[in-house]
Amino acid sequence: MSFEWPWQYSFPPFFTLQPNVDTRQKQLAAWCSLALSYCRHHKLYTLDVMEAQESPVFNNKKIERKLSMEAIQVVFEELRKKGNLDWLDKNKSRCLVMWRRPEEWGKLIHQWVSKIGMVNSVFTLYELSNGDDTEGEEFHGLEDWMLLRSLQALQADGKAEIITMDDGKGVKFF
Amino acid sequence: MIYYFMFYLDVGVALLSTHRLIWRDVKNHECCIAMPLSQILLFEEQAAGIGKSAKIVIHLQATPANKEPGPYQHSKYSFIKLSFKEHGQIEFYRRLTEEMTRKRWENTPASQPIPIGTGSQAGRTRAVGIVGIERKIEEKRKETDKNISEAFEDLSKLMVKAKEMVELSRSIANKIKDKQFGLRSYLLSMGIADPVTRETHGSGTHYHMQLAKQLDDMLQAPLEERGGMMALTEVYCLVNRARGMELLSPEDLVNACKMFESLKLPLRLRVFDSGVMVVQLQSHSEEEMIASALDNVSDKGSLTAEEFAKLLGLSVLLSKERLLLAEKMGHLCRDDSVEGLRFYPNLF
């Protein structure tokens, strides 16, 4: 299924950071949504800022408009505030994109665990992300760092406990 | 003349000229004797000793026949001694040597003795010259200074009086307020601002009021032509061109425009966020303008300030202001690219 672009993507003003405050809020919301859905569609978990500028997300060749570097930074900052983005370095050149927040992942995983009635069992991280049983689940193929964060979120919620074992980490769900 | 001195004469002053050696009694200036230098055969120093003062011994030649009578008829000595009781022997000797070497009496005829012995006196004359000029300049400067201060004294006194007058008229104005319009307008026409007026109507003078009325007459037609709004700079040019002489200053124009509202004239001075000032008809409705702007833009999909100006017959400056205002109100949004600045209807 090819990615469906939102209507704003063909609207030239979309690529100019709007000075009117109210208009800008709506614009940024649309950008965040677009960026996240694009990453979700292509299963992108990290973004390089330099590459992003050339990526079709921020660069619509058809209408010959692209977001300025300044505007991209503003969008990323907005994502970070919402909890969907984490900078990997101080220079803000690479970031982790969490098109689903850790809490949301955690919830999904816990739901599945409850569904199959395996609460109080211990799972290895590998089992969760790459096990045969989880194939078809959305969190299948989830990258380790993301999975860990999700479980940490559950842990903070009291719904799981991360256990360190000889050959890696495991988790017990409550 | 030859003078032979066997006896001490009284204390006197020895003077040397280019032609003569002169001796003058220090007490009785009438007593004065002179001798031509040409009579000097040779001379020598005699250093001072204990109880002895420094001397110069001057040996003289034989008396010429035409010699005039002197203090003494005869003397067996062919020399005279100048005894320097206090000081001056060295200097005198030096000068005598100089004169005897140069023998200036041979070149120029003897004239009045020129005092050259005491150099300090001549020096003082020179100093008087330059110092005198400097002193004169200083005096003149002081005089000018004084004049200026005196002149300004009067001015500062005047200003103090003027201040008192203003205070007085203000207190009167405060007391009468709205009751007696006649006196208040009289005060206004004198240029003394009434504090009440300043707060409510802007500080105006009679002149500005008249001017405001004049502007109202002048601008009605042009404003209608231009869609009800004109930049203040356009107004300035228009008005001054019409007046020909007695041009308006920008300050006067602005001050007059500020009075439109208080004079209940159907014009308004308006300042945009960007600082651009316009005069517009009071009947001009901003909402209408923005609504029509939105219509125009939607119609064409998008517009630049230039395109909009052409469409409406407005100046580019004013058309841009209108678009910016519509954007501010959220009706339009912008597309800023290398192609320029375009405005779209706000679909967000």
Side-chain angles (χ1 to χ4, degrees), chain B residues 176-190:
Chain B
I176 48 174
K177 287 215 178 135
D178 294 60
K179 302 250 167 71
Q180 286 175 26
F181 184 73
L183 183 57
R184 191 155 66 102
S185 72
Y186 183 65
L187 287 175
L188 280 176
S189 70
M190 288 208 296

Side-chain angles (χ1 to χ4, degrees), chain B residues 50-260:
Chain B
I50 305 165
K52 284 201 301 184
S53 51
K55 293 183 178 61
I56 294 178
V57 183
I58 303 175
H59 295 268
L60 305 170
Q61 295 177 14
T63 319
N66 58 354
K67 173 184 150 344
E68 283 177 23
Y72 294 98
Q73 293 290 10
H74 292 287
S75 174
K76 64 177 179 190
Y77 298 102
S78 63
F79 58 87
I80 57 170
K81 281 191 187 178
L82 297 177
S83 172
F84 292 82
K85 292 276 175 203
E86 284 166 24
H87 53 78
Q89 184 260 333
I90 296 166
E91 184 63 20
F92 203 90
Y93 184 77
R94 191 177 70 79
R95 301 246 178 182
L96 185 59
T97 314
E98 206 182 298
E99 292 308 319
M100 290 307 292
T101 315
R102 289 166 81 173
K103 289 187 164 55
R104 280 194 275 186
W105 64 84
E106 286 174 4
N107 303 327
T108 57
S111 59
Q112 292 300 320
I114 307 159
I116 57 169
T118 46
S120 59
Q121 193 172 21
R124 210 188 305 133
T125 314
R126 267 204 302 281
V128 164
I130 291 179
V131 166
I133 292 169
E134 284 180 343
R135 213 184 301 131
K136 275 207 190 90
I137 293 173
E138 180 64 27
E139 275 171 16
K140 198 157 179 215
R141 191 192 64 78
K142 282 203 186 116
E143 181 81 23
T144 312
D145 234 353
K146 197 162 82 115
N147 287 339
I148 290 173
S149 327
E150 277 175 8
F152 276 115
E153 230 175 77
D154 294 336
L155 190 62
S156 35
K157 283 201 190 113
L158 180 65
M159 278 165 67
V160 167
K161 287 286 169 218
K163 197 171 167 206
E164 290 172 17
M165 286 307 301
V166 170
E167 286 305 319
L168 182 65
S169 65
R170 264 200 208 141
S171 67
I172 293 173
N174 264 329
K175 287 190 188 129
I176 48 174
K177 287 215 178 135
D178 294 60
K179 302 250 167 71
Q180 286 175 26
F181 184 73
L183 183 57
R184 191 155 66 102
S185 72
Y186 183 65
L187 287 175
L188 280 176
S189 70
M190 288 208 296
I192 300 164
D194 177 348
V196 173
T197 313
R198 196 190 294 128
E199 275 149 26
T200 53
H201 304 294
S203 67
T205 67
H206 192 66
Y207 170 62
H208 289 143
M209 283 201 290
Q210 289 299 95
L211 193 53
K213 288 185 193 138
Q214 204 175 63
L215 286 171
D216 179 38
D217 285 331
M218 225 188 263
L219 294 175
Q220 284 292 337
L223 279 172
E224 296 284 343
E225 274 172 41
R226 287 164 177 71
M229 194 189 280
M230 270 172 83
L232 197 59
T233 46
E234 288 176 72
V235 172
Y236 178 79
C237 293
L238 202 76
V239 166
N240 274 331
R241 214 175 290 137
R243 284 165 79 104
M245 303 226 287
E246 299 214 354
L247 304 180
L248 282 185
S249 73
E251 291 85 32
D252 282 334
L253 179 62
V254 173
N255 287 332
C257 289
K258 284 184 182 162
M259 302 200 71
F260 286 150

Side-chain angles (χ1 to χ4, degrees), chain A residues 1-83:
Chain A
M1 190 176 71
S2 68
F3 184 69
E4 266 182 46
W5 297 100
W7 71 264
Q8 291 98 331
Y9 189 65
S10 323
F11 189 46
F14 192 47
F15 293 84
T16 304
L17 201 56
Q18 295 298 318
N20 181 311
V21 175
D22 296 323
T23 315
R24 181 186 289 210
Q25 263 176 357
K26 293 189 195 140
Q27 178 192 26
L28 285 178
W31 268 115
C32 289
S33 165
L34 170 58
L36 291 178
S37 56
Y38 184 85
C39 288
R40 178 190 283 126
H41 183 91
H42 292 98
K43 294 260 197 260
L44 296 173
Y45 293 98
T46 58
L47 277 183
D48 180 279
V49 177
M50 288 297 166
E51 285 172 21
Q53 218 194 3
E54 297 309 313
S55 134
V57 189
F58 300 114
N59 190 342
N60 187 345
K61 292 212 161 76
K62 204 158 86 175
I63 61 168
E64 288 176 327
R65 294 284 186 276
K66 64 180 187 186
L67 265 191
S68 69
M69 188 53 86
E70 185 208 343
I72 292 176
Q73 290 285 0
V74 173
V75 172
F76 279 9
E77 177 60 20
E78 200 61 28
L79 283 169
R80 191 195 66 78
K81 276 194 225 163
K82 286 189 179 165

Side-chain angles (χ1 to χ4, degrees), chain B residues 289-323:
Chain B
M289 292 296 128
I290 290 175
S292 84
L294 181 57
D295 285 337
N296 289 120
V297 174
S298 307
D299 218 19
K300 302 274 187 228
S302 71
L303 285 176
T304 63
E306 290 80 13
E307 291 165 354
F308 191 47
K310 210 181 281 178
L311 202 65
L312 254 57
L314 271 185
S315 69
V316 176
L317 181 72
L318 289 186
S319 81
K320 187 162 181 197
E321 288 301 326
R322 192 168 291 175
L323 290 172

